[in-house]
Amino acid sequence: MKSCKELSLLKGIGFVVFMFLFSLTISASLLDVYKSGKIKLVPDPDFGKGTEWDLYFPQGIKDLVFAQDGSFFATGLGNKAQHCVYKFDKNGKFIKKIGRKGRGPGDLYHPGDLSILDNKYLLVNNYPLDKKVSVFDLNGKFIKIIKTKEFVFDIVYLNNKKIAYFSEKDLGNKKIKLFVVILDIKTGSEKRVYSYVGKIRMVRTQKQVIIEREIQDMIFMERSNHYNLIIGNNYMNKLLFFSLNGKKYNEISLNLPLIKVDASKIKRFWNEEKE
């Protein structure tokens, strides 16, 4: 499994691609602002006042998702994170913990990525090797478990009771296959819509050895305004569009420069994190 530092690194490297994916889903007026140049994000000084963020997320936030009323749900990074999902109101005030440590119905074990289904239910990706997604209502009541055929590392709800999840398989000989599956919750049927085979190599720093995969686990998934699936990764330099039935119908070139990550860039990243 990935360490906290590895996950933080992956999130940072993929930020540019993520922002491009996000821009496809926002309104035309906001898209014009995005295209106008650099955007400076200024935190609201009143947001989350009195909330002990370090208590809930001592090693950072793994994932978060927003409900229609502005409330949001989040999971934590690292071994110090509790086995639960935290719910906050739109002002950043803590509301409740969802789930408890365990492997049974209503339990969570190293929960990761989140998504919201039909604006009514919270989907929680459990420990990947468990091959399941837990479903809660937005008040934290456990509803059901969705079983998957493959390991689950990321999830996104699409529409019509269909979700997409990202998985991977070690092929041996320093090769790994990463792929995306569309799962029909009603029937349990699954369809693999995209896959990529990468190499595993070692990047050494002065204090530690980091396993750096050739594509850095960076497959991004997002839902479009028309409830279709968008897939991208930072070595493909384009976005792929799939229908709910898993049929590819379009692709867009990003025309972004690809930057190779080496030991010096990793070291600089950690130095900047400490400042």
Side-chain angles (χ1 to χ4, degrees):
M1 296 304 298
K2 307 175 186 68
S3 68
C4 172
K5 289 186 176 181
E6 287 177 302
L7 288 167
S8 297
L9 177 60
L10 300 184
K11 293 284 186 179
I13 296 171
F15 183 74
V16 173
V17 176
F18 171 77
M19 287 302 296
F20 187 91
L21 291 172
F22 178 72
S23 72
L24 296 176
T25 66
I26 59 179
S27 66
S29 60
L30 287 178
L31 190 56
D32 290 338
V33 173
Y34 172 73
K35 291 180 177 179
S36 65
K38 291 184 178 180
I39 300 174
K40 184 177 181 180
L41 301 179
V42 180
D44 181 353
D46 295 323
F47 180 81
K49 265 191 174 180
T51 300
E52 299 181 68
W53 299 106
D54 289 340
L55 176 64
Y56 304 119
F57 310 106
Q59 293 175 278
I61 294 175
K62 171 65 175 70
D63 195 26
L64 56 84
V65 65
F66 288 84
Q68 280 189 329
D69 63 359
S71 62
F72 61 97
F73 305 83
T75 53
L77 274 172
N79 295 327
K80 294 182 180 180
Q82 298 188 45
H83 302 271
C84 66
V85 177
Y86 296 103
K87 182 177 181 180
F88 301 85
D89 69 14
K90 63 181 180 180
N91 298 311
K93 181 180 179 181
F94 173 72
I95 297 178
K96 64 169 57 177
K97 289 169 60 175
I98 297 173
R100 58 184 181 272
K101 184 178 181 179
R103 311 296 271 269
D107 298 338
L108 296 174
Y109 186 68
H110 293 290
D113 292 275
L114 307 169
S115 190
I116 291 182
L117 189 159
D118 292 337
N119 299 310
K120 295 180 181 179
Y121 303 104
L122 177 69
L123 303 179
V124 185
N125 170 28
N126 283 270
Y127 189 68
L129 302 186
D130 288 347
K131 296 184 179 181
K132 68 180 182 180
V133 175
S134 294
V135 183
F136 298 84
D137 68 19
L138 299 187
N139 290 318
K141 179 182 177 181
F142 173 72
I143 303 297
K144 64 183 291 187
I145 287 176
I146 300 172
K147 285 289 188 179
T148 64
K149 295 178 181 178
E150 309 290 349
F151 302 146
V152 182
F153 291 92
D154 192 8
I155 54 172
V156 60
Y157 174 65
L158 300 174
N159 200 14
N160 295 336
K161 301 298 186 293
K162 291 186 177 181
I163 65 173
Y165 71 87
F166 159 56
S167 188
E168 62 181 43
K169 183 178 181 180
D170 189 347
L171 301 178
N173 296 321
K174 296 184 178 180
K175 291 184 178 180
I176 189 165
K177 176 176 284 188
L178 292 92
F179 53 93
V180 176
V181 176
I182 291 182
L183 165 64
D184 189 320
I185 298 174
K186 294 181 293 186
T187 65
S189 63
E190 299 188 8
K191 182 175 183 179
R192 189 177 299 188
V193 298
Y194 170 75
S195 63
Y196 187 99
V197 176
K199 296 179 180 179
I200 300 176
R201 58 193 176 92
M202 304 295 290
V203 174
R204 298 181 180 274
T205 65
Q206 292 180 350
K207 296 183 179 180
Q208 59 185 324
V209 175
I210 299 176
I211 298 178
E212 181 195 0
R213 290 172 181 168
E214 191 67 24
I215 58 174
Q216 287 289 322
D217 286 351
M218 295 310 296
I219 286 184
F220 285 88
M221 303 187 300
E222 186 58 76
R223 185 183 72 179
S224 73
N225 281 343
H226 300 291
Y227 304 107
N228 293 321
L229 175 64
I230 309 173
I231 298 175
N233 71 49
N234 60 334
Y235 273 75
M236 186 165 58
N237 207 13
K238 59 184 176 181
L239 299 178
L240 306 178
F241 294 78
F242 294 84
S243 68
L244 290 177
N245 295 323
K247 182 178 180 180
K248 176 186 169 184
Y249 67 89
N250 196 12
E251 66 178 56
I252 296 177
S253 175
L254 297 179
N255 294 319
L256 296 173
L258 299 179
I259 301 173
K260 186 176 181 179
V261 177
D262 54 25
S264 63
K265 290 184 175 61
I266 293 174
K267 182 178 180 180
R268 187 170 70 247
F269 174 85
W270 294 129
N271 289 337
E272 291 174 353
E273 285 284 295
K274 294 176 183 178
E275 295 178 356

